Amino acid sequence: MKTKTRGAVQMILAMTISGTVGWPVLVLGQPPATVVFWRCAFGALAMLATCAALGQLKQGAINRRQLAFAILGGIALVLNWTLLFAAYKHASIAVATVTYHVQPFMLVALGALLFGEKLTADRLGWLLLAFAGMVLIVAGRQNGGSGDGYLLGVALALGAALMYAIAAAIVKQLAALPPQLIVLIQLTVGTLALAPFAGLATPPAAPIDWLLLATLGLVHTGLMSTLLYGAIQKIPTALVGALSFIYPAVAIVVDWAVFGHRLSLLQLLGSLAILGAAAGMMFYKRHSISAAAEPAVVRQKNK
């Protein structure tokens, strides 16, 4: 198999796995902090093995400044996952996932505020289109959710997107570190930070719960990250961006097929507007960062 083809297959698998993450989260029925704790714990074990195999755990591999940034990024990443998993219960997997994909626009805003990056007319246009999509999604709540609970879900997804953008902005300062090592630090931080809130005194009792938690950590975090890193090294950035949209597409299908949640017309139009705006930013000027990638991968995609 050619290198580019192998990379495309890896990217498709990574995004398909990402699109199914809401399924085990909702089936578990556990508090978001508990789910994220175990995702971090199992994922950290997987990334520890990966980093050890790649020889990235040698002494002096990271300095204090880099470690501080990686820890801050880990805190943002944990908040990102916790808010997103909470959003699933209020606004459905499909709505939460699409809303979450306003990440590139928040990252653009942070770039303008923190790094003095210019907000061009075309970027502003895509931002306005994404905002119009958000308005349509909120307006469609009478068919896709009810009252304040639905709005809370949308707000939680927006908060998750903001945390992702912050994590991505922080990781941009870690260009010298291997992404696998960054993820290991982030997941370790998440495990330690959430341990007091994870209900460890009363852990899940059913074997299926442990299987789902291990799946989130080993498959949706460890395997998915490994596939994603491998894909980024083999295929052009434009193709990475194009295949990233498999993530929300799979999430919408899973939400419909497994949980029977169908998007209303307004929600569908809003989703198309948001994803279309994200695609426009990516392919017309190629200045944006894919919303489907894990924060630690941002640096790799923009080398």
Side-chain angles (χ1 to χ4, degrees):
M1 186 182 293
K2 293 182 179 180
T3 300
K4 185 175 180 180
T5 302
R6 187 165 62 253
V9 170
Q10 289 176 320
M11 187 68 188
I12 291 169
L13 289 174
M15 292 301 97
T16 301
I17 292 171
S18 295
T20 64
V21 69
W23 187 351
V25 170
L26 288 185
V27 170
L28 278 163
Q30 297 283 337
T34 300
V35 177
V36 176
F37 167 80
W38 288 110
R39 180 183 190 179
C40 289
F42 282 113
L45 291 175
M47 296 312 298
L48 179 63
T50 300
C51 290
L54 295 174
Q56 296 173 354
L57 300 180
K58 57 187 177 182
Q59 187 175 3
I62 184 171
N63 60 43
R64 290 184 180 180
R65 177 181 178 277
Q66 292 170 329
L67 180 60
F69 273 115
I71 290 173
L72 288 175
I75 293 171
L77 180 63
V78 168
L79 290 172
N80 158 39
W81 283 342
T82 304
L83 291 171
L84 182 61
F85 290 176
Y88 291 156
K89 297 182 179 181
H90 296 283
S92 83
I93 294 172
V95 170
T97 301
V98 172
T99 303
Y100 182 62
H101 277 73
V102 301
Q103 300 161 350
F105 307 103
M106 291 186 173
L107 192 54
V108 165
L110 287 176
L113 290 173
L114 300 179
F115 306 116
E117 297 177 1
K118 186 178 180 181
L119 185 60
T120 59
D122 62 302
R123 282 183 169 186
L124 183 60
W126 296 123
L127 180 60
L128 291 174
L129 178 59
F131 178 76
M134 281 302 311
V135 171
L136 289 173
I137 284 179
V138 171
R141 68 184 180 276
Q142 59 267 33
N143 293 323
S146 58
D148 295 337
Y150 178 82
L151 296 179
L152 175 60
V154 173
L156 288 169
L158 288 173
L162 177 60
M163 289 300 104
Y164 168 88
I166 291 173
I170 291 172
V171 170
K172 289 180 72 174
Q173 309 304 309
L174 299 174
L177 289 183
Q180 295 89 346
L181 183 58
I182 297 173
V183 173
L184 172 60
I185 295 170
Q186 290 174 333
L187 295 179
T188 302
V189 168
T191 303
L192 296 175
L194 289 176
F197 312 102
L200 297 181
T202 56
I208 185 63
D209 289 347
W210 285 110
L211 177 61
L212 291 172
L213 289 170
T215 299
L216 283 171
L218 300 177
V219 178
H220 289 92
T221 305
L223 176 60
M224 190 281 296
S225 297
T226 301
L227 288 169
L228 188 60
Y229 300 149
I232 290 170
Q233 293 171 353
K234 298 179 181 71
I235 61 178
T237 300
L239 184 55
V240 170
L243 294 177
S244 295
F245 289 93
I246 294 173
Y247 173 17
V250 170
I252 291 171
V253 171
V254 167
D255 204 21
W256 165 72
V258 179
F259 300 102
H261 296 155
R262 291 173 173 80
L263 294 176
S264 68
L265 178 59
L266 288 180
Q267 289 173 328
L268 179 60
L269 292 174
S271 299
L272 291 174
I274 290 173
L275 297 178
M281 282 188 62
M282 183 172 298
F283 298 118
Y284 281 84
K285 287 296 182 182
R286 295 187 182 179
H287 288 319
S288 71
I289 296 175
S290 169
E294 293 288 336
V297 185
V298 170
R299 181 261 303 176
Q300 294 286 64
K301 294 173 66 174
N302 287 275
K303 275 190 174 182

